[in-house]
Amino acid sequence: MTSPTTFDDRYDEPDQLRDQLRRLLRYRTTIAAGLVLGLLGGVLLVLLRAGSYSSTSEVLVRSRTDPFSTFGVSADNQLSMGTERQIALSAAVADRAARTLGQPSRADALLADLRVTNPPDTQVLRFEYTADTAKRAARVTNAFADAYLADRQDRTKAMVKRMTAGLEEQIAALTEKADAKSESASTAGLRDQIGVLQRRASDIRSYDTSGGDVVRRAEPPSQPSGPGPAWLIGLGLVGGGLLGVLLAWLRSALEPRARSVGEVQSALGAPVLGILPGPEPDDEDQLRVGRTGDSRAEAYRALAFRLRAGERSPGALLVVAPRQDRNAEAATANLAAAFAESGDDVLLLDATASTPGLPDRLPLAADAAAPAGAPEGSVVVDAGTAGRFALLTAGAEGPASPAVTRALSLTGPEVSALVLTRPLLEHTDGLTVAQRVDGVLVVGSLDHSRRDDLKRVRELVDCAGGHLVGAVLDHGEQRGLLARVKDGAWARRLRRDPSAAPADDLPEELPAPVQDDTLSVSR
């Protein structure tokens, strides 16, 4: 009943990709939470941007040509737009604008929301201010544009005043010198120089001191600035989806439970021989083979066929779970029925020492005798159309290991033996039995069995000299969302139930049952 412990080579890259997608989709709640957070973020952006208005004003900066320059220097070479932009963002302009707005103490705050740019190859400065209302945005923008022009005009007037003051000093000195001399040719020359300087001073006084012109006044915008609500909400959904996928991947990577066939095979070092569909929620009948024709019974038959198809001849097989799991009893009983259906004489050894034991949960045939080769004290289980098999309770009155050893020694070579012991990580009975059987079949559950437990089972069986033939996984009961929440760990804590399990022992989402057992093996 054993098979070589080789991995299924059909588990190739496409299967691994599908397995990765299934692992992410098991955290559908996490992905949905990411989408909800993204949606809320988008709505929050809409609300924040709904009260944000931007208004723009443009100023044509006039170049200040040197009135004394005798060279044909172009206006572009006399005007540095980078310098003018820095002046527009200076504290002096901000203070002037703040006084105009009647808020002299908020100059720095006003400057923080101002943007001044210069379009390429132009002498235009573009003022843009963002405020919580459209009117305020336009008012502050115009205040900064006017403040910049007023500051530039004041600086130009100061330059004109300095120039005229210097010329007046020269004129006064030449006039004093001319008055001191008598009428002569030199006096006429001084009078000519004085006339030239006076004409220059007059030209300077007539110089246009305005800093520029406002070519576009700021108007209150009719709509808020930035992307529209649809774009912001869509952006939030995309970001939330990426966040949800990232969180789902992190949870999958940090998840201690084995949530895929690949993880079970990697941790156990043995192939997965079958995946059992989940039973009905209210179904308490453990024996399916020979009594029902559902997909779970067919999965047990397929598992028995794979165990019999191994290179070794039928012998003794230990069926064990890492921790307490009622699926181990069901798997052992149904495997015994499947072997009996194939014509074998089967003995099931119950070494769990549980009360009530398997004889109380399986249908017994009171008028039937145990098959030849079965130990004394065996009872017969009626598996319906599958036939009958012997059942012996071992270790009910003492240690289970010696009782199982004696029962196996008394079993004839024509009898196929199945041994069920207590959980391997909770009791040491299974390690002793593993040395005396031909193989060990591990029964686990997707989304419940932990990778560390499976690794410990592998190490213990190897150290005991046993042989792992593989594993069979159960999907568990398919339950509705309300039932999972009602019986979840959080709800049990609210009811102060001391038997409440940790929250990380419960799956977030139970996968759908696999109906086609031929496709579910070793995936």
Side-chain angles (χ1 to χ4, degrees):
M1 290 180 294
T2 58
S3 60
T5 57
T6 57
F7 289 94
D8 190 352
D9 56 5
R10 293 181 300 169
Y11 192 66
D12 52 10
E13 291 185 2
D15 294 326
Q16 293 179 19
L17 179 59
R18 285 192 292 269
D19 186 62
Q20 290 288 338
L21 292 176
R22 293 190 189 101
R23 290 173 60 185
L24 289 179
L25 291 178
R26 287 191 180 101
Y27 297 99
R28 290 186 291 270
T29 304
T30 301
I31 298 177
L35 288 173
V36 171
L37 288 177
L39 179 61
L40 293 177
V43 173
L44 182 62
L45 286 176
V46 170
L47 295 178
L48 292 178
R49 299 297 294 179
S52 178
Y53 294 86
S54 296
S55 186
T56 303
S57 177
E58 293 181 351
V59 173
L60 175 62
V61 182
R62 184 173 301 167
S63 60
R64 293 185 299 198
T65 306
D66 186 1
F68 292 101
S69 177
T70 59
F71 301 98
V73 181
S74 65
D76 292 341
N77 293 332
Q78 296 185 11
L79 183 64
S80 173
M81 295 305 299
T83 302
E84 297 299 327
R85 178 179 175 276
Q86 293 299 322
I87 293 174
L89 292 171
S90 64
V93 174
D95 290 338
R96 187 185 292 265
R99 289 194 300 270
T100 302
L101 296 171
Q103 300 174 346
S105 61
R106 299 192 69 251
D108 294 338
L110 293 174
L111 196 60
D113 295 325
L114 177 68
R115 290 177 297 279
V116 180
T117 58
N118 170 231
D121 302 326
T122 65
Q123 293 182 214
V124 174
L125 286 181
R126 181 174 295 159
F127 292 79
E128 183 179 359
Y129 190 82
T130 302
D132 53 354
T133 62
K135 291 184 179 181
R136 176 172 174 78
R139 183 166 175 258
V140 175
T141 303
N142 289 327
F144 268 99
D146 294 340
Y148 165 73
L149 292 178
D151 179 78
R152 198 163 191 270
Q153 185 176 24
D154 288 347
R155 287 186 285 109
T156 304
K157 287 182 178 180
M159 181 188 68
V160 170
K161 184 177 181 180
R162 289 194 302 271
M163 289 182 177
T164 55
L167 290 174
E168 288 174 355
E169 290 178 358
Q170 295 181 29
I171 293 172
L174 290 175
T175 302
E176 184 179 354
K177 185 184 293 187
D179 292 341
K181 294 182 179 181
S182 61
E183 294 293 335
S184 63
S186 59
T187 305
L190 291 175
R191 298 295 180 184
D192 292 339
Q193 292 181 15
I194 293 172
V196 171
L197 292 178
Q198 287 176 343
R199 285 193 298 271
R200 288 185 178 179
S202 177
D203 291 339
I204 291 175
R205 290 190 183 95
S206 63
Y207 178 67
D208 186 6
T209 58
S210 61
D213 300 313
V214 178
V215 296
R216 177 185 174 186
R217 299 291 295 180
E219 298 292 338
S222 58
Q223 293 181 353
S225 59
W231 278 95
L232 293 176
I233 292 178
L235 223 72
L237 286 175
V238 171
L242 294 177
L243 176 63
V245 171
L246 176 62
L247 293 178
W249 180 82
L250 288 176
R251 288 196 61 185
S252 176
L254 301 176
E255 175 62 62
R257 294 167 291 181
R259 307 199 67 168
S260 67
V261 172
E263 292 181 356
V264 174
Q265 292 183 154
S266 177
L268 199 58
V272 174
L273 300 178
I275 298 180
L276 304 176
E280 296 297 330
D282 299 330
D283 191 359
E284 298 294 337
D285 189 5
Q286 292 190 353
L287 190 58
R288 316 293 297 179
V289 177
R291 304 181 68 86
T292 61
D294 58 5
S295 59
R296 194 173 179 87
E298 294 300 324
Y300 283 124
R301 290 189 178 95
L303 175 61
F305 175 78
R306 296 184 186 97
L307 289 172
R308 290 172 57 85
E311 298 177 354
R312 302 181 183 180
S313 59
L317 179 68
L318 171 63
V319 181
V320 68
R323 298 191 182 276
Q324 189 66 39
D325 190 349
R326 67 184 183 89
N327 291 321
E329 293 184 357
T332 309
N334 283 278
L335 280 177
F339 288 138
E341 190 177 38
S342 301
D344 294 341
D345 291 333
V346 183
L347 172 64
L348 194 160
L349 287 171
D350 178 18
T352 58
S354 60
T355 303
L358 271 181
D360 298 323
R361 293 191 291 274
L362 296 178
L364 303 180
D367 56 345
E376 183 180 355
S378 301
V379 295
V380 178
V381 177
D382 183 8
T385 59
R388 298 176 177 181
F389 61 88
L391 171 62
L392 177 64
T393 301
E397 299 178 356
S401 301
V404 172
T405 302
R406 288 194 301 270
L408 290 177
S409 63
L410 296 176
T411 302
E414 70 281 0
V415 177
S416 299
L418 289 169
V419 183
L420 175 64
T421 62
R422 291 179 288 185
L424 192 64
L425 299 181
E426 299 177 3
H427 302 277
T428 60
D429 300 339
L431 294 178
T432 306
V433 177
Q435 303 173 7
R436 293 169 174 80
V437 295
D438 296 326
V440 178
L441 178 66
V442 179
V443 178
S445 177
L446 282 176
D447 301 330
H448 287 274
S449 298
R450 296 177 177 269
R451 291 193 295 266
D452 292 341
D453 290 347
L454 296 175
K455 291 178 181 179
R456 290 178 59 191
V457 168
R458 175 184 180 180
E459 295 173 355
L460 292 175
V461 172
D462 289 344
C463 292
H467 171 65
L468 277 174
V469 298
V472 57
L473 303 178
D474 192 286
H475 265 305
E477 296 182 358
Q478 300 301 300
R479 311 179 65 195
L481 177 62
L482 183 60
R484 292 199 303 271
V485 173
K486 180 179 178 181
D487 295 336
W490 180 75
R492 288 200 296 268
R493 288 195 188 98
L494 290 181
R495 295 195 297 266
R496 297 182 178 179
D497 186 354
S499 62
D504 57 355
D505 285 340
L506 297 177
E508 185 180 18
E509 290 290 341
L510 289 173
V514 179
Q515 301 297 333
D516 189 352
D517 55 272
T518 60
L519 294 179
S520 62
V521 176
S522 302
R523 285 284 182 97

